[in-house]
Amino acid sequence: MKVTQRSDYTFKYNKKLGRHGWLRLTPAYSVKLVKEIIDNIRGSSFILDPFSGTATTGLVAAEHGLSAHCFDINPFLIWLGNAKCRHYSNDELSFLKAGIELSLAECKEFVKQDHWLPDIHNITRWWCEHTLKVLAALRQALVNQFGEPKKEDVSALAWIAFCRLIIETSAAAFNHVSLSFHDEVTKYEIEQIEFWYLKIVDAIAQSASEDIAGSATVYFADCREPVSINDVKYSHIVTSPPYPNRISYIRELRPYMYWTKFLDTASEAGELDWKAIGGTWGVATSRLQNWESNGVELSDSLKRVVSQILETEEKNALLMANYVWKYFHDMHLHLQNLRSNLKKGAVLSYIVGNSSFYGVQVHTEKLLEDSLKSLGFTNIGSKVIRKRNSKKELFEYCVYAIYEDRGKYEPRFFGAKQPKGEQLALL
Ligand SMILES: C[S@@+](CC[C@H](N)C(=O)[O-])C[C@H]1O[C@@H](n2cnc3c(N)ncnc32)[C@H](O)[C@@H]1O
């Protein structure tokens, strides 16, 4: 069996899976992949996902009756993740439906006036003026019933449905790794918006009514720093950090974050991306130009890769070299601090992707293995999961390790045949 693209190991697999499909984020990983990793984990285990994103790990763990904590630095994703993992009573869901009905009735009146619109650059590329007027009226009606978003109660479901509505009615296309736009925007009448919104709310409320056996909570935390939640020590880390490929999560999350007021300005978006590992949006790019490491000792292989990028003498060679350097520097800090959160024998599973800059291959899996080795982890290795791109030689791997040896360990086989020795690295 050769290494193939395996769309079942991507976010596409999650679209029809109840809570997992509420809102998509292209870099989210597949529920199937997480299930394969956690299938053999026992009920007494405690899972941590330090890069929660849309809380795929947390939700899969909770659905399996396990306990999980998740971290993220993006407040929108923390809010979304907690709404996805929460328990909802029948009374709460009835309250939601009643509030939605009142909102839709009010929307008919509100559409005659102008209402607040988010300050999204080139907004008419996303929605036409007419659709915007209807969306703004619905938003105002929802504010009147449920208050502004950000609350951690059942009202979050009304806002998640609204986020889904704005993306479904927009000209954004998510066919690629990052988003692009259709040439034309569609005009939606109020009746169509109402119809779609109700359909989305019904689907979300239906999956929210299905209870989950375990529990998962998403916390605000920068996982490069020491963090402790109630002194819990974790037995498993199951996660997918950003890849060093200059894909910005903020870029894709912008429409949701602006409409829900988690973001107000473009400069805020840049600041948030600068905090993210691998961040690359707006101000993050200019800061990278002058960025210097604060003394974290990194591997010779990384130094070689960084020098090779610099030696290409391409216009942005310094920027890209710093980008790669900072990415592995930040991941090293994360792994270094993570140790104090781990139980003896804890198993780490990191899903990562390799990348390439000006023809210089960045073997993320090998470079992270170097960090793990220097930090005293054992049983370190990586397995290829899938090919990420039809043209370039980009792959996804599971990098694994154990905190404080507990004997022989090798993770499950993720479907793809493992290439022999260094063959893959040299492709
Ligand atoms: C690849 S995404 C995770 C996707 C996730 N597995 C899912 O299924 O949705 C990486 C996440 O790491 C978060 N992140 C980046 N830097 C971080 C940091 N320093 N501390 C905590 N979270 C961070 C980003 O905000 C993003 O949500």
Side-chain angles (χ1 to χ4, degrees):
M1 195 185 0
K2 73 184 214 306
V3 182
T4 56
Q5 286 191 272
R6 299 285 309 248
S7 68
D8 56 334
Y9 280 157
T10 72
F11 75 96
K12 289 182 190 150
Y13 180 83
N14 308 352
K15 277 195 268 182
K16 297 208 168 82
L17 292 181
R19 295 173 183 230
H20 290 283
W22 285 356
L23 267 195
R24 66 177 161 192
L25 174 70
T26 314
Y29 59 9
S30 137
V31 168
K32 183 173 181 178
L33 182 59
V34 182
K35 276 189 182 158
E36 287 187 15
I37 298 174
I38 71 170
D39 243 5
N40 298 322
I41 299 182
R42 292 185 315 275
S44 57
S45 309
F46 215 126
I47 298 175
L48 171 69
D49 182 346
F51 300 96
S52 174
T54 57
T56 310
T57 312
L59 186 51
V60 173
E63 286 169 340
H64 277 61
L66 299 165
S67 302
H69 283 166
C70 309
F71 300 155
D72 209 286
I73 47 157
N74 184 314
F76 173 80
L77 290 173
I78 297 163
W79 170 79
L80 171 67
N82 281 324
K84 282 171 76 175
C85 297
R86 201 171 168 274
H87 299 263
Y88 296 95
S89 68
N90 289 338
D91 283 354
E92 284 177 303
L93 293 172
S94 304
F95 169 81
L96 173 77
K97 292 219 167 154
I100 299 282
E101 271 176 32
L102 289 170
S103 304
L104 290 176
E106 236 180 356
C107 179
K108 288 195 177 59
E109 287 304 309
F110 284 6
V111 83
K112 296 170 192 152
Q113 306 135 26
D114 284 332
H115 297 281
W116 178 88
L117 278 173
D119 189 12
I120 296 177
H121 176 67
N122 221 346
I123 195 166
T124 48
R125 207 173 153 199
W126 295 80
W127 306 272
C128 71
E129 302 274 1
H130 184 84
T131 307
L132 277 172
K133 211 169 159 62
V134 184
L135 291 175
L138 176 58
R139 189 190 187 285
Q140 188 54 53
L142 290 173
V143 170
N144 287 4
Q145 289 305 319
F146 298 106
E148 288 285 351
K150 297 189 187 177
K151 280 200 274 177
E152 300 231 340
D153 59 22
V154 72
S155 68
L157 300 186
W159 289 114
I160 292 172
F162 183 76
C163 287
R164 180 70 185 266
L165 178 73
I166 58 153
I167 220 64
E168 297 289 348
T169 53
S170 79
F174 290 93
N175 301 326
H176 314 287
V177 179
S178 67
L179 71 88
S180 56
F181 287 91
H182 297 298
D183 291 338
E184 281 180 27
V185 286
T186 310
K187 180 177 170 187
Y188 289 93
E189 299 299 340
I190 186 165
E191 295 75 18
Q192 291 169 298
I193 294 281
E194 277 184 9
F195 173 81
W196 284 115
Y197 186 63
L198 271 177
K199 233 175 140 59
I200 297 169
V201 169
D202 277 348
I204 289 182
Q206 172 57 38
S207 39
S209 70
E210 290 158 19
D211 211 8
I212 36 186
S215 76
T217 309
V218 191
Y219 297 92
F220 175 84
D222 181 339
C223 67
R224 286 165 296 195
E225 293 169 1
V227 191
S228 171
I229 309 291
N230 307 326
D231 288 329
V232 173
K233 302 279 181 207
Y234 304 99
S235 57
H236 293 82
I237 308 296
V238 181
T239 193
S240 171
Y243 304 168
N245 59 0
R246 305 202 67 223
I247 297 253
S248 165
Y249 305 106
I250 295 295
R251 182 159 191 266
E252 187 170 329
L253 290 172
R254 267 177 317 158
Y256 308 138
M257 292 184 70
Y258 276 104
W259 277 100
T260 51
K261 295 195 177 176
F262 276 89
L263 262 185
D264 291 320
T265 62
S267 64
E268 272 176 33
E271 287 298 335
L272 193 53
D273 217 30
W274 175 243
K275 286 191 206 146
I277 295 182
T280 186
W281 181 262
V283 71
T285 304
S286 56
R287 287 193 191 152
L288 260 180
Q289 200 83 37
N290 305 315
W291 177 82
E292 280 180 28
S293 144
N294 62 1
V296 173
E297 195 45 50
L298 294 166
S299 69
D300 289 341
S301 333
L302 178 64
K303 288 177 193 157
R304 258 196 313 277
V305 170
V306 170
S307 307
Q308 283 168 3
I309 297 174
L310 276 174
E311 281 160 17
T312 62
E313 294 183 10
E314 295 282 347
K315 186 165 150 260
N316 286 322
L318 174 65
L319 185 66
M320 296 308 145
N322 275 358
Y323 175 79
V324 170
W325 186 264
K326 183 171 187 300
Y327 172 86
F328 288 98
H329 165 279
D330 285 358
M331 285 301 293
H332 188 88
L333 277 184
H334 156 62
L335 294 169
Q336 187 174 334
N337 281 313
L338 180 72
R339 293 176 301 179
S340 61
N341 296 122
L342 301 176
K343 263 188 179 162
K344 184 175 163 58
V347 181
L348 277 59
S349 306
Y350 279 61
I351 307 301
V352 295
N354 62 340
S355 57
S356 138
F357 291 86
Y358 309 127
V360 178
Q361 294 290 316
V362 177
H363 293 293
T364 313
E365 75 292 1
K366 296 282 170 220
L367 295 165
L368 290 181
E369 284 182 39
D370 288 345
S371 271
L372 288 161
K373 226 167 278 165
S374 73
L375 291 166
F377 288 88
T378 60
N379 303 62
I380 301 162
S382 50
K383 292 215 166 212
V384 71
I385 296 170
R386 66 178 195 99
K387 204 167 188 275
R388 273 163 47 223
N389 187 311
S390 53
K391 290 184 215 111
K392 292 185 199 147
E393 301 303 349
L394 297 179
F395 294 88
E396 218 146 54
Y397 302 84
C398 176
V399 177
Y400 55 88
I402 303 283
Y403 177 62
E404 297 187 345
D405 206 348
R406 63 162 197 188
K408 190 167 161 40
Y409 169 78
E410 219 188 322
R412 286 178 59 104
F413 187 61
F414 293 106
K417 186 172 181 178
Q418 304 301 306
K420 284 197 191 109
E422 279 299 289
Q423 191 186 338
L424 189 72
L426 300 175
L427 277 172

